Amino acid sequence: MSTVKAWHWLKVLLWRLLAIKALLLGLLGIPLPGLPTVPFLLLSAWAAGKGWPTLELWLLQHPRYGPPILAWRQHGAVSRRAKWLASLMMTGSVLLMWFSAAPVLLKIILPPFLAAVATWLWLRPEPVSVNPMEKPHDQST
């Protein structure tokens, strides 16, 4: 096998490993409240697009997780529900940390960092839901 082919297959393998690890972390995030699901699915779909098109297509066509991935890819959009859930989880994390034995430096640094993340998240557009029964308005008139 030539060096070029070996390098190609190594890259494909690494993209696939990243895609599957991110997918597994996303699936773990379903029952575990502190672990986010959608960011890991976004990472998985992105990595799969680099080395595992079949997995990428499966994720994009998934009835539950496909729409948020497509909304993010097409418009950088995040649903209001996801924004609320993420904000509540970040707030809960900060509150739990304050009542834990976490290092003081972490208690000082983490809240402003999470506030910045929450601000960025709330500035993202929200997906526009389109009723399939409505006909689009003609823009040419």
PDB file of all heavy atoms in Angstrom, residues 59-75:
ATOM      1  N   LEU A  59     -27.417  10.767  10.754  1.00  0.00           N
ATOM      2  CA  LEU A  59     -27.667  11.814  11.746  1.00  0.00           C
ATOM      3  C   LEU A  59     -28.562  12.917  11.181  1.00  0.00           C
ATOM      4  O   LEU A  59     -29.477  13.394  11.849  1.00  0.00           O
ATOM      5  CB  LEU A  59     -26.347  12.413  12.240  1.00  0.00           C
ATOM      6  CG  LEU A  59     -25.535  11.536  13.183  1.00  0.00           C
ATOM      7  CD1 LEU A  59     -24.132  12.107  13.362  1.00  0.00           C
ATOM      8  CD2 LEU A  59     -26.231  11.393  14.522  1.00  0.00           C
ATOM      9  N   LEU A  60     -28.289  13.334   9.943  1.00  0.00           N
ATOM     10  CA  LEU A  60     -29.081  14.402   9.334  1.00  0.00           C
ATOM     11  C   LEU A  60     -30.528  13.979   9.094  1.00  0.00           C
ATOM     12  O   LEU A  60     -31.433  14.819   9.123  1.00  0.00           O
ATOM     13  CB  LEU A  60     -28.441  14.857   8.022  1.00  0.00           C
ATOM     14  CG  LEU A  60     -27.086  15.538   8.154  1.00  0.00           C
ATOM     15  CD1 LEU A  60     -26.507  15.823   6.780  1.00  0.00           C
ATOM     16  CD2 LEU A  60     -27.186  16.807   8.979  1.00  0.00           C
ATOM     17  N   GLN A  61     -30.757  12.704   8.859  1.00  0.00           N
ATOM     18  CA  GLN A  61     -32.110  12.225   8.593  1.00  0.00           C
ATOM     19  C   GLN A  61     -32.821  11.710   9.844  1.00  0.00           C
ATOM     20  O   GLN A  61     -33.980  11.317   9.777  1.00  0.00           O
ATOM     21  CB  GLN A  61     -32.077  11.117   7.532  1.00  0.00           C
ATOM     22  CG  GLN A  61     -31.680  11.624   6.181  1.00  0.00           C
ATOM     23  CD  GLN A  61     -31.588  10.523   5.142  1.00  0.00           C
ATOM     24  OE1 GLN A  61     -31.518   9.342   5.454  1.00  0.00           O
ATOM     25  NE2 GLN A  61     -31.569  10.921   3.880  1.00  0.00           N
ATOM     26  N   HIS A  62     -32.141  11.750  10.987  1.00  0.00           N
ATOM     27  CA  HIS A  62     -32.756  11.273  12.225  1.00  0.00           C
ATOM     28  C   HIS A  62     -33.942  12.181  12.564  1.00  0.00           C
ATOM     29  O   HIS A  62     -33.823  13.407  12.527  1.00  0.00           O
ATOM     30  CB  HIS A  62     -31.734  11.281  13.365  1.00  0.00           C
ATOM     31  CG  HIS A  62     -32.206  10.574  14.580  1.00  0.00           C
ATOM     32  ND1 HIS A  62     -33.034  11.149  15.505  1.00  0.00           N
ATOM     33  CD2 HIS A  62     -31.968   9.306  15.005  1.00  0.00           C
ATOM     34  CE1 HIS A  62     -33.284  10.275  16.464  1.00  0.00           C
ATOM     35  NE2 HIS A  62     -32.652   9.155  16.186  1.00  0.00           N
ATOM     36  N   PRO A  63     -35.104  11.591  12.888  1.00  0.00           N
ATOM     37  CA  PRO A  63     -36.290  12.424  13.114  1.00  0.00           C
ATOM     38  C   PRO A  63     -36.165  13.396  14.288  1.00  0.00           C
ATOM     39  O   PRO A  63     -36.722  14.488  14.248  1.00  0.00           O
ATOM     40  CB  PRO A  63     -37.409  11.411  13.368  1.00  0.00           C
ATOM     41  CG  PRO A  63     -36.766  10.085  13.525  1.00  0.00           C
ATOM     42  CD  PRO A  63     -35.376  10.172  12.976  1.00  0.00           C
ATOM     43  N   ARG A  64     -35.414  13.042  15.315  1.00  0.00           N
ATOM     44  CA  ARG A  64     -35.300  13.923  16.478  1.00  0.00           C
ATOM     45  C   ARG A  64     -34.080  14.835  16.414  1.00  0.00           C
ATOM     46  O   ARG A  64     -34.146  16.005  16.765  1.00  0.00           O
ATOM     47  CB  ARG A  64     -35.263  13.094  17.756  1.00  0.00           C
ATOM     48  CG  ARG A  64     -35.183  13.960  18.990  1.00  0.00           C
ATOM     49  CD  ARG A  64     -35.284  13.144  20.253  1.00  0.00           C
ATOM     50  NE  ARG A  64     -35.215  14.017  21.392  1.00  0.00           N
ATOM     51  CZ  ARG A  64     -36.194  14.212  22.231  1.00  0.00           C
ATOM     52  NH1 ARG A  64     -37.336  13.591  22.050  1.00  0.00           N
ATOM     53  NH2 ARG A  64     -36.051  15.016  23.260  1.00  0.00           N
ATOM     54  N   TYR A  65     -32.938  14.299  15.999  1.00  0.00           N
ATOM     55  CA  TYR A  65     -31.695  15.065  16.064  1.00  0.00           C
ATOM     56  C   TYR A  65     -31.290  15.694  14.734  1.00  0.00           C
ATOM     57  O   TYR A  65     -30.444  16.580  14.713  1.00  0.00           O
ATOM     58  CB  TYR A  65     -30.567  14.178  16.609  1.00  0.00           C
ATOM     59  CG  TYR A  65     -30.916  13.667  17.986  1.00  0.00           C
ATOM     60  CD1 TYR A  65     -31.142  12.327  18.219  1.00  0.00           C
ATOM     61  CD2 TYR A  65     -31.068  14.550  19.035  1.00  0.00           C
ATOM     62  CE1 TYR A  65     -31.496  11.866  19.478  1.00  0.00           C
ATOM     63  CE2 TYR A  65     -31.425  14.111  20.296  1.00  0.00           C
ATOM     64  CZ  TYR A  65     -31.631  12.766  20.508  1.00  0.00           C
ATOM     65  OH  TYR A  65     -31.993  12.321  21.751  1.00  0.00           O
ATOM     66  N   GLY A  66     -31.875  15.252  13.651  1.00  0.00           N
ATOM     67  CA  GLY A  66     -31.566  15.833  12.350  1.00  0.00           C
ATOM     68  C   GLY A  66     -31.937  17.308  12.246  1.00  0.00           C
ATOM     69  O   GLY A  66     -31.113  18.129  11.807  1.00  0.00           O
ATOM     70  N   PRO A  67     -33.170  17.692  12.649  1.00  0.00           N
ATOM     71  CA  PRO A  67     -33.544  19.114  12.529  1.00  0.00           C
ATOM     72  C   PRO A  67     -32.634  20.089  13.278  1.00  0.00           C
ATOM     73  O   PRO A  67     -32.245  21.107  12.704  1.00  0.00           O
ATOM     74  CB  PRO A  67     -34.985  19.140  13.050  1.00  0.00           C
ATOM     75  CG  PRO A  67     -35.506  17.770  12.732  1.00  0.00           C
ATOM     76  CD  PRO A  67     -34.328  16.847  12.965  1.00  0.00           C
ATOM     77  N   PRO A  68     -32.230  19.807  14.545  1.00  0.00           N
ATOM     78  CA  PRO A  68     -31.311  20.765  15.181  1.00  0.00           C
ATOM     79  C   PRO A  68     -29.952  20.843  14.485  1.00  0.00           C
ATOM     80  O   PRO A  68     -29.352  21.915  14.407  1.00  0.00           O
ATOM     81  CB  PRO A  68     -31.146  20.248  16.612  1.00  0.00           C
ATOM     82  CG  PRO A  68     -32.179  19.241  16.825  1.00  0.00           C
ATOM     83  CD  PRO A  68     -32.676  18.787  15.497  1.00  0.00           C
ATOM     84  N   ILE A  69     -29.468  19.710  13.975  1.00  0.00           N
ATOM     85  CA  ILE A  69     -28.184  19.723  13.269  1.00  0.00           C
ATOM     86  C   ILE A  69     -28.298  20.548  11.994  1.00  0.00           C
ATOM     87  O   ILE A  69     -27.439  21.389  11.694  1.00  0.00           O
ATOM     88  CB  ILE A  69     -27.716  18.282  12.954  1.00  0.00           C
ATOM     89  CG1 ILE A  69     -27.409  17.525  14.257  1.00  0.00           C
ATOM     90  CG2 ILE A  69     -26.489  18.292  12.051  1.00  0.00           C
ATOM     91  CD1 ILE A  69     -27.186  16.033  14.069  1.00  0.00           C
ATOM     92  N   LEU A  70     -29.376  20.342  11.249  1.00  0.00           N
ATOM     93  CA  LEU A  70     -29.581  21.107  10.010  1.00  0.00           C
ATOM     94  C   LEU A  70     -29.784  22.593  10.300  1.00  0.00           C
ATOM     95  O   LEU A  70     -29.260  23.447   9.576  1.00  0.00           O
ATOM     96  CB  LEU A  70     -30.774  20.545   9.240  1.00  0.00           C
ATOM     97  CG  LEU A  70     -30.525  19.197   8.565  1.00  0.00           C
ATOM     98  CD1 LEU A  70     -31.829  18.614   8.038  1.00  0.00           C
ATOM     99  CD2 LEU A  70     -29.510  19.338   7.449  1.00  0.00           C
ATOM    100  N   ALA A  71     -30.539  22.917  11.353  1.00  0.00           N
ATOM    101  CA  ALA A  71     -30.755  24.328  11.711  1.00  0.00           C
ATOM    102  C   ALA A  71     -29.426  25.001  12.044  1.00  0.00           C
ATOM    103  O   ALA A  71     -29.181  26.145  11.665  1.00  0.00           O
ATOM    104  CB  ALA A  71     -31.726  24.441  12.885  1.00  0.00           C
ATOM    105  N   TRP A  72     -28.563  24.277  12.750  1.00  0.00           N
ATOM    106  CA  TRP A  72     -27.257  24.833  13.090  1.00  0.00           C
ATOM    107  C   TRP A  72     -26.404  25.014  11.835  1.00  0.00           C
ATOM    108  O   TRP A  72     -25.786  26.056  11.636  1.00  0.00           O
ATOM    109  CB  TRP A  72     -26.532  23.934  14.090  1.00  0.00           C
ATOM    110  CG  TRP A  72     -25.159  24.434  14.359  1.00  0.00           C
ATOM    111  CD1 TRP A  72     -23.993  23.948  13.851  1.00  0.00           C
ATOM    112  CD2 TRP A  72     -24.807  25.568  15.150  1.00  0.00           C
ATOM    113  NE1 TRP A  72     -22.935  24.696  14.289  1.00  0.00           N
ATOM    114  CE2 TRP A  72     -23.409  25.692  15.089  1.00  0.00           C
ATOM    115  CE3 TRP A  72     -25.536  26.470  15.908  1.00  0.00           C
ATOM    116  CZ2 TRP A  72     -22.729  26.699  15.766  1.00  0.00           C
ATOM    117  CZ3 TRP A  72     -24.853  27.471  16.569  1.00  0.00           C
ATOM    118  CH2 TRP A  72     -23.465  27.584  16.499  1.00  0.00           C
ATOM    119  N   ARG A  73     -26.379  24.010  10.982  1.00  0.00           N
ATOM    120  CA  ARG A  73     -25.552  24.081   9.776  1.00  0.00           C
ATOM    121  C   ARG A  73     -26.016  25.168   8.817  1.00  0.00           C
ATOM    122  O   ARG A  73     -25.200  25.852   8.215  1.00  0.00           O
ATOM    123  CB  ARG A  73     -25.566  22.744   9.040  1.00  0.00           C
ATOM    124  CG  ARG A  73     -24.674  21.710   9.654  1.00  0.00           C
ATOM    125  CD  ARG A  73     -24.628  20.493   8.776  1.00  0.00           C
ATOM    126  NE  ARG A  73     -23.626  19.561   9.261  1.00  0.00           N
ATOM    127  CZ  ARG A  73     -23.322  18.445   8.639  1.00  0.00           C
ATOM    128  NH1 ARG A  73     -23.927  18.119   7.517  1.00  0.00           N
ATOM    129  NH2 ARG A  73     -22.409  17.644   9.136  1.00  0.00           N
ATOM    130  N   GLN A  74     -27.311  25.310   8.662  1.00  0.00           N
ATOM    131  CA  GLN A  74     -27.829  26.245   7.668  1.00  0.00           C
ATOM    132  C   GLN A  74     -27.885  27.681   8.164  1.00  0.00           C
ATOM    133  O   GLN A  74     -27.664  28.608   7.392  1.00  0.00           O
ATOM    134  CB  GLN A  74     -29.218  25.790   7.213  1.00  0.00           C
ATOM    135  CG  GLN A  74     -29.176  24.469   6.459  1.00  0.00           C
ATOM    136  CD  GLN A  74     -30.549  23.876   6.223  1.00  0.00           C
ATOM    137  OE1 GLN A  74     -31.563  24.377   6.719  1.00  0.00           O
ATOM    138  NE2 GLN A  74     -30.595  22.785   5.480  1.00  0.00           N
ATOM    139  N   HIS A  75     -28.201  27.867   9.445  1.00  0.00           N
ATOM    140  CA  HIS A  75     -28.430  29.232   9.935  1.00  0.00           C
ATOM    141  C   HIS A  75     -27.717  29.549  11.245  1.00  0.00           C
ATOM    142  O   HIS A  75     -27.889  30.646  11.773  1.00  0.00           O
ATOM    143  CB  HIS A  75     -29.930  29.474  10.132  1.00  0.00           C
ATOM    144  CG  HIS A  75     -30.747  29.139   8.927  1.00  0.00           C
ATOM    145  ND1 HIS A  75     -30.731  29.896   7.780  1.00  0.00           N
ATOM    146  CD2 HIS A  75     -31.592  28.105   8.678  1.00  0.00           C
ATOM    147  CE1 HIS A  75     -31.539  29.354   6.881  1.00  0.00           C
ATOM    148  NE2 HIS A  75     -32.069  28.259   7.400  1.00  0.00           N
TER     149      HIS A  75
END
